[in-house]
Amino acid sequence: MTDTVLALRYLPNLLTIIRLLLIFPISYSLLSERYQLALLLFMVAAASDGLDGFLARRFGWHSRFGAMIDPLADKLMLMAAYIMLTILGHFPLWLTATVIIRDLVIVSGAVSYHFLVGQYEFKPSRIGKLSTFLQIMLALLTILHLTLLTIPAYVFTALIFSVAVVTVMSGFDYVWVWTQKYRQETKHKS
């Protein structure tokens, strides 16, 4: 394998690290109500997420680091955006609390599983992917509404309700699935 190919193999991880580094500027842009800059940075982060996923799948450039840090980067970016948009009064506190609590439950469950059972393969469920998609759409539409478009209030109401319901369902789904995996693993070790 050439040095160039070896270096390119780590490009998805580099893009993920860039996305992590964008969390602070996006948060600061939102908090200072510089919504156009926040939108631009959010789009760059989204493009980097899409590109790193494409490269990892297309060329098989997967790594344990990438598998762990990529979803973490997505969650931290969404949490930061939700917190800033809540502080500014664009999101209800209960919605942001729901999103954060669900993610904390998932992370604590994964850490517990790791220490109690061992290494695990974490793959997002369909409902988990839907939850993340809806959360991103709500944040993105809110920022678009604050910069470029007028979006009717009923769209936000429907999306907030959808995000809340699917986020809760996703949280319960992850708890159920990982509890079953834990039971199977501990049964096999007995």
Side-chain angles (χ1 to χ4, degrees), residues 31-104:
L31 196 56
S32 60
E33 299 183 21
R34 297 173 63 196
Y35 298 122
Q36 290 176 330
L37 178 59
L39 178 62
L40 175 66
L41 294 172
F42 201 82
M43 296 299 237
V44 168
S48 78
D49 188 28
L51 182 59
D52 79 34
F54 168 77
L55 292 172
R57 283 187 303 277
R58 173 70 172 93
F59 298 105
W61 293 341
H62 301 278
S63 69
R64 182 89 175 129
F65 174 81
M68 290 177 3
I69 204 74
D70 184 69
L72 181 64
D74 295 342
K75 291 300 163 196
L76 290 174
M77 176 147 321
L78 270 174
M79 278 190 208
Y82 271 63
I83 289 168
M84 294 305 124
L85 291 167
T86 300
I87 289 170
L88 294 166
H90 301 295
F91 287 173
L93 179 59
W94 62 265
L95 178 67
T96 299
T98 301
V99 168
I100 291 173
I101 289 169
R102 174 232 183 220
D103 289 342
L104 291 175

Side-chain angles (χ1 to χ4, degrees), residues 170-182:
S170 165
F172 281 120
D173 180 60
Y174 280 116
V175 168
W176 172 258
V177 167
W178 284 93
T179 300
Q180 297 308 309
K181 285 184 182 200
Y182 172 76

Side-chain angles (χ1 to χ4, degrees), residues 127 160-170:
I127 194 161
I160 286 170
F161 177 75
S162 299
V163 166
V165 169
V166 174
T167 297
V168 169
M169 289 172 57
S170 165

Side-chain angles (χ1 to χ4, degrees), residues 19 22 33 39 53 66 103 115 118 122 130 143 183-184 189:
R19 202 161 65 256
L22 284 173
E33 299 183 21
L39 178 62
D103 289 342
F115 285 113
F122 183 83
L130 177 61
I143 297 169
R183 286 182 179 156
Q184 288 174 355
K189 289 183 178 183

Side-chain angles (χ1 to χ4, degrees), residues 109-150:
V111 169
S112 298
Y113 187 90
H114 177 75
F115 285 113
L116 293 171
V117 177
Q119 191 172 355
Y120 59 91
E121 281 299 314
F122 183 83
K123 295 191 180 204
S125 66
R126 286 185 182 168
I127 194 161
K129 288 179 181 182
L130 177 61
S131 175
T132 300
F133 173 76
L134 290 172
Q135 290 171 20
I136 291 168
M137 288 307 301
L138 178 58
L140 185 58
L141 281 178
T142 301
I143 297 169
L144 280 169
H145 178 73
L146 295 167
T147 55
L148 302 171
L149 303 171
T150 301

Side-chain angles (χ1 to χ4, degrees), residues 13-23 44 48 77:
N13 291 345
L14 178 62
L15 290 169
T16 300
I17 291 168
I18 289 169
R19 202 161 65 256
L20 276 170
L21 294 174
L22 284 173
I23 292 170
V44 168
S48 78
M77 176 147 321

